[in-house]
Amino acid sequence: MTSTTLSAGTADVIRQALGAAQRGDLSAACRIAEDGLAAAAQPAPLHALLGMLRSRAGEPEKAINHLEQARRLVPEDRTVLLNLAVALTDASRHAEVLAEITPREAAADGTGRLWRLRGFAAQQEREFGEAVQAYEKAIQAHPNDWETWNNLGNARTGNGDHDGAVAALRQALELNPASAPTRLNLASALILIGEVEEAETLLR
């Protein structure tokens, strides 16, 4: 959960909560963690756990509350940052995702996941230049991620780079030929560069 060495009591609460979650009882898992948090000498791991559990339960606002507290306590923990960014995205709080996932934070994450979340947040905020840069970084980590190629194409369209959009969307469709949304996005991008016949063929 975090890099902190856990006390026996905190470790036991986490084991019980995770056990309940694995049985599919998220309500019990949250209750166990909340009860443990009330008496915890180490609140950060339990806030982090509750953030994860509340996200899984479809309660992003409650998750955000716990994850923000965990982030203040363990700002170096990238799992907490990732989970917070996911919860903020689920709550459509995209400007806050951009504030949390700075380029420096994203660059320190070798998985590319933070770049992808930053790209999506920037795209939702219509900051298409930022979105393009973030998606391009994410693709460096995962070059076969067709969804990010698709998002990159849409962000390039928003940024006025129609040729670049077509190139990205072609790559997305090559990686996943069954994606109808990508096919539609590519057809729309082709129309913008005057390739109407190819767009019609794709749509048929």
Side-chain angles (χ1 to χ4, degrees), residues 31-48:
R31 185 171 60 253
I32 291 166
E34 292 279 8
D35 289 346
L37 181 61
Q42 295 173 297
L46 293 175
H47 278 304

Side-chain angles (χ1 to χ4, degrees), residues 98 102-104 106-107 112 114-120 122-123 127-141 148 151-153 155-156 159 161:
L98 287 175
T102 63
R104 181 177 179 180
L114 292 180
W115 280 123
R116 183 174 176 178
L117 285 165
R118 179 175 171 80
F120 182 76
Q123 189 173 354
E127 295 185 21
F128 296 115
E130 289 288 337
V132 167
Q133 291 179 29
Y135 285 139
E136 287 175 345
K137 295 287 188 181
I139 284 169
Q140 288 177 15
T148 300
N151 290 344
L152 174 60
R156 283 177 173 171
N159 205 38
D161 179 10

Side-chain angles (χ1 to χ4, degrees), residues 94-171:
H94 305 297
E96 291 173 69
V97 175
L98 287 175
E100 290 288 345
I101 306 177
T102 63
R104 181 177 179 180
E105 291 278 12
D109 171 39
T111 70
R113 291 177 296 178
L114 292 180
W115 280 123
R116 183 174 176 178
L117 285 165
R118 179 175 171 80
F120 182 76
Q123 189 173 354
Q124 296 306 301
E125 291 293 299
R126 303 187 66 79
E127 295 185 21
F128 296 115
E130 289 288 337
V132 167
Q133 291 179 29
Y135 285 139
E136 287 175 345
K137 295 287 188 181
I139 284 169
Q140 288 177 15
H142 296 284
N144 294 323
D145 181 355
W146 70 271
E147 290 180 306
T148 300
W149 278 109
N150 178 76
N151 290 344
L152 174 60
N154 291 336
R156 283 177 173 171
T157 295
N159 205 38
D161 179 10
H162 302 306
D163 289 326
V166 168
L169 291 163
R170 286 193 195 281
Q171 182 64 26

Side-chain angles (χ1 to χ4, degrees), residues 6-16 32 36-37 39-42 46:
L6 298 177
S7 68
T10 298
D12 186 54
V13 169
I14 290 173
R15 277 195 298 271
Q16 291 183 49
I32 291 166
L37 181 61
Q42 295 173 297
L46 293 175

Side-chain angles (χ1 to χ4, degrees), residues 5 26 42 50 61 83 95-96 111 141 158 166:
T5 300
L26 287 175
Q42 295 173 297
L50 278 161
E61 293 293 347
N83 289 341
E96 291 173 69
T111 70
V166 168

